[in-house]
Amino acid sequence: MSEMGNLVVVGAGPAGMAAAVTALHGGLRVTLLDAGPAPGGQFWRRPVIPADPTARAADPRHGRRTYRALSAALSAHRRTGRLTLLTDHHAWTATRGEDGFTVHAVDRSRAPEETAVALCAPALLVATGAYDRQLPFPGWDLPGVLTAGGLQALLKGGGVSAGARVVLGGTGPFLLPVAAALAARGAEVAAVCEASGPSAWLRRPGPLLRRPARWAEAAGYAATLARHRVPVFTRTAITAAEGTGRVAAVRTALLAADGSPLPGSERTIATDTVGVGWGFVPQLDLLVTLGCPLADAGDGSMAAAVDGGQRTGVPGLYAAGETCGVGGAALAVGEGRLAAVSVLADLGTPGWPDPRRLAAERAAVAGHRAFARAVARAHPVPPGWSSWLTDDTPVCRCEEVTAGAVRSVCADGSAADHRQVKQLTRAGMGWCQGRMCGPAVHGLAAPGQPYAPAERLIATPLTLGALAGPGEPPSVPS
């Protein structure tokens, strides 16, 4: 195995792209890899097989100028040979040695063939993003019930709506762009059920008042929803899904202050598709394996603990974007730049950092983080969400573990967190390795405590052949 440059960046979303470009501008040789077919991540996801041939050239709606600039810079540096861009590469673990880090990945660019790849560099930057947080409810295992992020991925990646009549539920601003995009695509959005209320913002309006661009964005979504006559219900949650063979309706209810359903407020809404999202959970697999310390993100999850330069507690290891706490693309871009500046400084690159630019970037990042904290406070997971569950509600769908089974091992003192529940019930031992059920199982076992994923030595499913492969470095195009 040979060294693949000065820096390996895992994740080519907004944070990874910004980090790679900044490091390249500083003169480093960079390897950037991502599981997707092109840079951009979920936020700047490109159509895979666009229904409209012109869609492939279309720019993202948000951050268009930033995306264009980063994409152009990556292309230019790739032509010079200083950037190695590896798409369809799934990183499954990382190790640290005396000379730096080795990232082990699987090349799936020629699927179904899989090839083991090993990438080595003295510095590693992890920008693997986040995934949808899910809370179970009776019927959530019916076909037609998806995550809100899954609905958006289908729209962005394939230009298709998952259903004709959709109900969205959960909490957070992310529900609005998903609803607006579905309505604009021709789907009937029967309801948007937001568990929080607008008064949550009125208690601490400062961060919102300092972000007028957010007002304009929210106003645009509101206009789209009003134009398509989409009803938005606040302090309301989807408490059950019903159907035979596929979802046909949902039950909703108004929520009390603790998040429990108010008796007599239930209603039934016919639908063929449901999208649910309760915020996002940082993707920490590689960081946890490398021993990166974690910190409370303030939204019910743990995130990578970093200093003002995005350095983790492990020398040579950096983190940026949603792995450090969910806060949107603008924050991710700023953190990516800060992380790359730290890499340049730590490797002794002359002229880095520029004090004035660094101060401006840090100030911008601090403002975005303040807004992210305000969002987390205004849209918390309702503490009484578990009251929606019947004992026969599946919590872990892979292993078919019910809420009753989890409650049983918690009630007798056998389990105090999701790791012990996993040992006793198999919850989290299935295909998704707890990504879907982990936060919910933890919420039942340790309510009020932030969720930190267990260590996974293998972060993504892979074949035994790829696991046993020699892990040779990829060939770099001339």
Side-chain angles (χ1 to χ4, degrees), residues 66 207 210-211 214 308 310 327-338 355-373:
T66 302
R210 290 189 290 270
R211 287 285 181 270
R214 297 287 187 173
Q310 303 301 128
L331 173 58
V333 167
E335 289 182 346
R337 290 173 178 154
L338 284 179
R356 287 192 298 179
R357 287 185 59 185
L358 182 60
E361 197 70 66
R362 283 180 172 170
V365 164
H368 291 307
R369 283 178 177 160
F371 185 79
R373 288 192 294 269

Side-chain angles (χ1 to χ4, degrees), residues 87-161:
T87 55
D88 292 307
H89 278 63
H90 298 244
W92 61 269
T93 197
T95 58
R96 180 171 176 252
E98 293 182 0
D99 298 327
F101 298 87
T102 301
V103 176
H104 295 273
V106 176
D107 177 3
R108 292 179 175 145
S109 60
R110 295 179 296 274
E113 178 185 349
E114 292 189 352
T115 305
V117 171
L119 311 168
C120 303
L124 172 61
L125 196 159
V126 176
T128 44
Y131 56 92
D132 293 77
R133 182 190 351 244
Q134 289 296 286
L135 299 180
F137 51 86
W140 80 307
D141 53 337
L142 283 170
V145 179
L146 295 86
T147 67
L151 290 175
Q152 187 191 63
L154 288 171
L155 284 168
K156 288 186 173 182
V160 296
S161 171

Side-chain angles (χ1 to χ4, degrees), residues 8-445:
V8 171
V9 180
V10 182
M17 292 177 72
V21 168
T22 302
L24 288 162
H25 285 344
L28 300 186
R29 290 186 297 122
V30 177
T31 299
L32 175 63
L33 71 150
D34 194 88
Q42 173 73 349
F43 188 73
W44 289 324
R45 180 187 286 264
R46 316 300 290 148
V48 178
I49 307 176
D52 180 353
T54 64
R56 188 176 298 277
D59 283 320
R61 177 179 175 184
H62 298 294
R64 177 181 296 131
R65 187 173 301 173
T66 302
Y67 174 78
R68 284 178 174 176
L70 293 175
S71 296
L74 290 176
S75 297
H77 286 293
R78 194 178 184 190
R79 288 192 295 270
T80 68
R82 289 199 298 112
L83 170 66
T84 300
L85 177 62
L86 304 174
T87 55
D88 292 307
H89 278 63
H90 298 244
W92 61 269
T93 197
T95 58
R96 180 171 176 252
E98 293 182 0
D99 298 327
F101 298 87
T102 301
V103 176
H104 295 273
V106 176
D107 177 3
R108 292 179 175 145
S109 60
R110 295 179 296 274
E113 178 185 349
E114 292 189 352
T115 305
V117 171
L119 311 168
C120 303
L124 172 61
L125 196 159
V126 176
T128 44
Y131 56 92
D132 293 77
R133 182 190 351 244
Q134 289 296 286
L135 299 180
F137 51 86
W140 80 307
D141 53 337
L142 283 170
V145 179
L146 295 86
T147 67
L151 290 175
Q152 187 191 63
L154 288 171
L155 284 168
K156 288 186 173 182
V160 296
S161 171
R165 182 176 166 87
V166 186
V167 174
L168 294 172
T171 192
F174 182 62
L175 295 177
L176 297 181
V178 176
L182 285 166
R185 190 68 191 177
E188 179 187 0
V189 181
V192 176
C193 302
E194 164 60 61
S196 296
S199 61
W201 281 102
L202 299 178
R203 288 192 289 271
R204 293 186 181 91
L208 182 60
L209 294 175
R210 290 189 290 270
R211 287 285 181 270
R214 297 287 187 173
W215 307 352
E217 184 178 347
Y221 295 138
T224 299
L225 298 183
R227 187 166 62 251
H228 292 277
R229 298 183 179 180
V230 175
V232 178
F233 302 104
T234 59
R235 301 188 185 281
T236 302
I238 297 172
T239 57
E242 302 172 340
T244 302
R246 182 180 174 86
V247 64
V250 293
R251 292 202 305 271
T252 68
L254 289 172
L255 300 181
D258 66 351
S260 60
L262 288 172
S265 68
E266 297 86 357
R267 59 178 298 182
T268 299
I269 304 174
T271 183
D272 60 26
T273 305
V274 180
V276 185
W278 293 95
F280 300 91
V281 179
Q283 182 71 269
L284 301 174
D285 293 337
L286 298 181
L287 293 168
V288 170
T289 299
L290 289 167
C292 172
L294 305 180
D296 188 346
D299 60 358
S301 63
M302 299 289 280
V306 294
D307 66 8
Q310 303 301 128
R311 300 175 182 88
T312 72
V314 178
L317 178 62
Y318 309 80
E322 313 282 52
T323 56
C324 305
V326 176
L331 173 58
V333 167
E335 289 182 346
R337 290 173 178 154
L338 284 179
V341 168
S342 295
V343 174
L344 289 162
D346 295 345
L347 293 180
T349 307
W352 292 84
D354 177 282
R356 287 192 298 179
R357 287 185 59 185
L358 182 60
E361 197 70 66
R362 283 180 172 170
V365 164
H368 291 307
R369 283 178 177 160
F371 185 79
R373 288 192 294 269
V375 171
R377 288 193 297 264
H379 298 275
V381 172
W385 68 268
S386 60
S387 63
W388 314 340
L389 306 182
T390 59
D391 279 345
D392 60 353
T393 301
V395 173
C396 172
R397 299 189 294 192
C398 297
E399 295 294 323
E400 299 181 346
V401 180
T402 65
V406 175
R407 285 167 170 158
S408 177
V409 297
C410 295
D412 65 11
S414 301
D417 61 21
H418 66 282
R419 296 172 179 82
Q420 293 175 318
V421 172
K422 178 178 181 179
Q423 295 168 351
L424 295 171
T425 69
R426 294 189 59 84
M429 288 190 179
W431 182 259
C432 81
Q433 285 292 287
R435 288 174 180 82
M436 291 292 290
C437 68
V441 171
H442 184 75
L444 290 172

Side-chain angles (χ1 to χ4, degrees), residues 464-478:
L464 287 175
L467 181 63
E472 291 301 319
S475 59
V476 180
S478 58

